[in-house]
């Protein structure tokens, strides 16, 4: 596609439920990044993939959060037992080459609301 | 942990005016980037600038790594420049991922 796409654009769930957020990066981009942005704050790094493997998952807040990228393209961020504090916009980005020195192209985000 | 502070937190400009946004960081960095988030939430990478000066149209950025600050200059501002500007850094020691600053919210009025 022309850019990074994320689905769904909005997700409302109840506390304790499981959610999956999807990211389709730009075709051919090796690196994929997930960030979380709470209202009024800057994005917070969660995890970054180089190909199929997680190069750095140090930003995942706890073991309820997990992300995969099984074929090196689409990625899914999975959140178990959601909590109200997980409410935020989840942003995905991709770059042609790995690392943080190449231009990252961001998707529109998924707004997650946990009731 | 690292502190990345941006100033001013809010800025209102008349269209056509120039502005300077500042990013101060508390540790030595080997990566610094500037981003613009428009009012609809779309985030765009403006500059990768761990040191030196770069220019792209009406925007330019300068990072003085030894003094731990970076500046983003916007000249002849336009209403489309409105939004939040973030700087983000990777520190030389510690986690090798981007840490975002507090942001500057810019409003350009016609």
């Amino acid at each position: 596609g022309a850019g990074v796409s994320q689905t769904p654009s909005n997700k409302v769930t109840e506390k304790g439920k499981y959610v999956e957020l999807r990211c389709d990066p730009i075709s051919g981009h090796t690196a994929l990044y997930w960030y979380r942005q709470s209202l009024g704050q800057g994005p917070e790094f969660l995890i970054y993939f180089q190909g199929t493997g997680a190069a750095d998952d140090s930003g995942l807040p706890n073991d309820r959060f997990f992300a995969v990228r099984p074929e090196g393209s689409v990625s899914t961020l999975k959140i178990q037992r959601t909590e109200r504090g997980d409410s935020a916009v989840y942003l995905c980005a991709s770059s042609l080459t790995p690392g943080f020195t190449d231009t990252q192209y961001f998707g529109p985000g998924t707004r997650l609301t946990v009731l | 942990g690292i502190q990345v502070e941006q100033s001013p937190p809010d800025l209102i400009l008349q269209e056509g005016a120039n502005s300077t946004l500042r990013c101060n960081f508390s540790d030595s960095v080997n990566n610094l980037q500037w981003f613009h988030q428009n009012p609809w939430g779309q985030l765009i990478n403006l500059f990768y600038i761990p040191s030196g000066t770069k220019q792209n149209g009406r925007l330019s950025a300068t990072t003085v790594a030894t003094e731990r600050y970076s500046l983003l200059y916007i000249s002849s501002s336009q209403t489309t420049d409105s939004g939040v500007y973030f700087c983000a850094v990777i520190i030389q020691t510690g986690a090798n991922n981007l840490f975002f600053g507090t942001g500057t919210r810019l409003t350009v009025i016609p």
Side-chain angles (χ1 to χ4, degrees):
Chain A
V4 178
S5 62
Q6 293 185 244
T7 54
S9 55
N10 279 285
K11 176 70 177 178
V12 180
T13 191
E14 293 179 343
K15 181 176 177 296
K17 299 290 188 182
Y18 168 84
V19 297
E20 289 189 352
L21 312 179
R22 177 187 168 108
C23 173
D24 280 85
I26 293 173
S27 179
H29 278 197
T30 302
L32 185 147
Y33 313 79
W34 283 100
Y35 298 86
R36 175 170 72 173
Q37 187 173 23
S38 299
L39 192 63
Q41 299 186 16
E44 173 192 7
F45 169 82
L46 296 177
I47 185 170
Y48 131 63
F49 287 90
Q50 181 174 331
T52 60
D56 185 340
D57 64 357
S58 61
L60 293 177
N62 52 59
D63 61 6
R64 295 186 299 104
F65 289 74
F66 189 72
V68 295
R69 195 186 185 202
E71 297 179 358
S73 56
V74 171
S75 176
T76 304
L77 178 65
K78 308 180 181 193
I79 311 174
Q80 299 177 321
R81 304 183 305 279
T82 52
E83 299 177 356
R84 292 194 179 88
D86 299 335
S87 296
V89 175
Y90 288 80
L91 295 165
C92 174
S94 69
S95 64
L96 185 60
T97 58
F100 291 89
T101 58
D102 198 0
T103 301
Q104 293 181 57
Y105 296 87
F106 284 80
T110 292
R111 181 176 298 280
L112 175 66
T113 303
V114 182
L115 301 176
Chain B
I2 186 169
Q3 302 295 318
V4 181
E5 296 183 352
Q6 294 184 240
S7 59
D10 292 277
L11 182 61
I12 300 175
L13 294 177
Q14 197 78 38
E15 196 169 28
N18 303 327
S19 63
T20 301
L21 281 55
R22 186 177 179 101
C23 172
N24 290 335
F25 41 94
S26 59
D27 291 56
S28 297
V29 302
N30 54 23
N31 186 321
L32 187 142
Q33 301 185 33
W34 282 96
F35 295 83
H36 174 228
Q37 189 165 39
N38 71 18
W40 297 271
Q42 182 65 48
L43 204 60
I44 293 175
N45 211 162
L46 297 175
F47 292 104
Y48 165 71
I49 185 163
S51 63
T53 297
K54 287 187 178 179
Q55 180 154 6
N56 184 2
R58 295 181 297 103
L59 302 181
S60 64
T62 295
T63 297
V64 184
T66 53
E67 297 186 20
R68 299 184 181 174
Y69 72 88
S70 182
L71 302 174
L72 179 69
Y73 305 96
I74 305 173
S75 64
S76 304
S77 58
Q78 300 176 358
T79 56
T80 52
D81 295 332
S82 295
V84 183
Y85 290 80
F86 292 103
C87 70
V89 303
I90 296 180
I91 60 174
Q92 289 184 353
T93 57
N96 187 33
N97 54 68
L98 275 179
F99 186 88
F100 282 75
T102 52
T104 291
R105 180 174 299 278
L106 174 66
T107 304
V108 181
I109 55 178

